[in-house]
Amino acid sequence: MIKNYINGALVEPVSDEYFDNYDPSTGKAYEIVPDSDERDIKLAVKAGEKASPMWSTTPAEERSKMMMRIASLIQRDLGEIARAECVDNGKPLSLAKSIDIPRAIRNFEFFASAVHGFASESHSMEDRAINYTLRNPIGVVGAISPWNLPLYLFTWKIAPALITGNCVVAKPSEITPVTANLLSELCIEAGLPKGVLNIVHGYGQKVGRAISAHPAIKAITFTGGTKTGADIAGIAAPMFKKLSLELGGKNPNIIFADCKYDEMLETTIRSSFQNQGEICLCGSRIFVEKSIYKKFKDDFVSRTKKLKVGDPLESKTDQGAIVSKQHLERILSYIELAKKEGGKILFGGRQVHLEGRCKNGWFIEPTVIEGLPYNCRTNREEIFGPVVTLIPFEAEDEVLKMANSTEYGLASIIWTENLSLAHRVAAKIQTGIVWVNCWMVRDLRTPFGGMKSSGVGREGGMDALRFFTEPRNICVKL
Ligand code: NAD
């Protein structure tokens, strides 16, 4: 049973109410989730405030050791946690084992060591004065995360907040709460002092909003949809809370004719459909230079046809279940919209009905669409599923115009062997992350985040450590 983790203990919600949690591969409810509200957030904040003087003055080295302990416990239970993530989210077990959970471990390890290189700055004014900048923890901070990479993104927010001496009130997605609950248990086992991390489960409208609105929470790190980000900012900004918002995307994948073709094709299959296309970084608009358009289309469709949609627990499955019935219906409605807008379905487009254990699960075919104008709704709005569109182009300026024509600006992918072309396009494309001849290659030290409606602020490396600290400059006259 999932419980809130407040003040070091696993507790029931104040309301004593719960709602169902579903296994997307079977469509069956298999767990219950605390239906918490602002009363639970109040308790969590109180616990955080109580722990804050102790945790903020605990030497960074000690905090670092604690994080390494938590990382090693996740490592110990990797198999069990990966299975739980697979069942809760619908993603293939192989993916949870090789990417999600190892990355959650890495998040703790990375920030546990990054803190040692987090030095305060000093600015000398010759013989007149010297400045030094202290960076203190903020106090109690909020973290709200989505369902697509549950433990991976939850820990990506919690780890830098904790290592810099903050106490945290965190809310995982109500759709995928199970691994956050396992993390609570491991934090207790690791001996994390009570109140340092508090995890409150429940709906965004209640628990998420209560985090945005609580006056003692001075900073919020959020990953999720653009509309939700706007709601959080609307509540938190007038209180001058620090905000880091990682929001939606509609990422272009630009393929020039001179690219290393086979490598591009293999990676493009992944950047289109990995995790059922439910990764904010997936390249859902594929722009292909006209001279190779026909060849690419044929090869891409034939590779897509080979993807196995199936039981997430089976090792041969490439594409698992869609996270919820509601999300499945949303994706299908976008496919209908694409047809209405004049799109031709080259492959897929339908719900998949499996046999046996997964016969009531929520599956969908990987879908490839062509023939749509670059600026239609299907090509502007985020679908967040296994659906890509193919768009031919002839010139560099033309493809840049099309690629930059959405409100989003999260990530982009460029395929070419022409060095100056790659640099030119990378400099002009309006995204916070640009991958050239690769995808999802991640160095955790780099600034991560989007432009335009894809977000505000950057996560990762020193950016995250700066976000979770308040700088104070001290100027001493000599
Ligand atoms: P969502 O915005 O619906 O929910 C995200 C989290 O916010 C959940 O925990 C939810 O309960 C909570 N929430 C919902 N309404 C809230 C409110 N009014 N106030 C406070 N919290 C609220 O997003 P989702 O459907 O869980 O995730 C999919 C979205 O996340 C996509 O748009 C995707 O692009 C985005 N995403 C972005 C990144 C990134 O790094 N930029 C990474 C992953 C996912």
Side-chain angles (χ1 to χ4, degrees), residues 1-23:
M1 181 163 150
I2 294 170
K3 287 195 177 164
N4 289 335
Y5 170 49
I6 298 178
N7 203 26
L10 295 172
V11 294
E12 312 228 344
V14 177
S15 68
D16 211 20
E17 306 265 337
Y18 290 80
F19 55 85
D20 284 335
N21 181 35
Y22 290 88
D23 171 350

Side-chain angles (χ1 to χ4, degrees), residues 13 22 33 49 59 68 94 101 117 122 159 203 211 224-225 235 250 253 256 269 288 349 375-376 398 431-432 444 467:
Y22 290 88
V33 189
E49 284 181 317
M68 293 301 282
S94 56
I101 310 309
S122 168
Y203 291 115
I211 290 176
I235 296 170
K250 187 74 181 174
N253 177 3
F256 289 96
I269 287 289
V288 188
N375 54 359
C376 66
E398 176 199 11
T431 63
L444 302 189
F467 175 77

Side-chain angles (χ1 to χ4, degrees), residues 103 152 311 363 366:
R103 176 58 192 277
Y152 174 135
D311 185 340
F363 297 86

Side-chain angles (χ1 to χ4, degrees), residues 115-135:
V115 74
H116 300 308
F118 189 45
S120 58
E121 305 108 71
S122 168
H123 301 88
S124 160
M125 299 170 74
E126 293 78 39
D127 57 357
R128 283 175 297 153
I130 182 144
N131 296 273
Y132 62 94
T133 310
L134 293 180
R135 288 189 170 271

Side-chain angles (χ1 to χ4, degrees), residues 110 156 442-447 459-463:
F110 172 76
W156 177 235
R442 289 281 291 117
D443 181 330
L444 302 189
R445 294 169 301 180
T446 60
E459 296 185 324
M462 294 298 147
D463 285 280

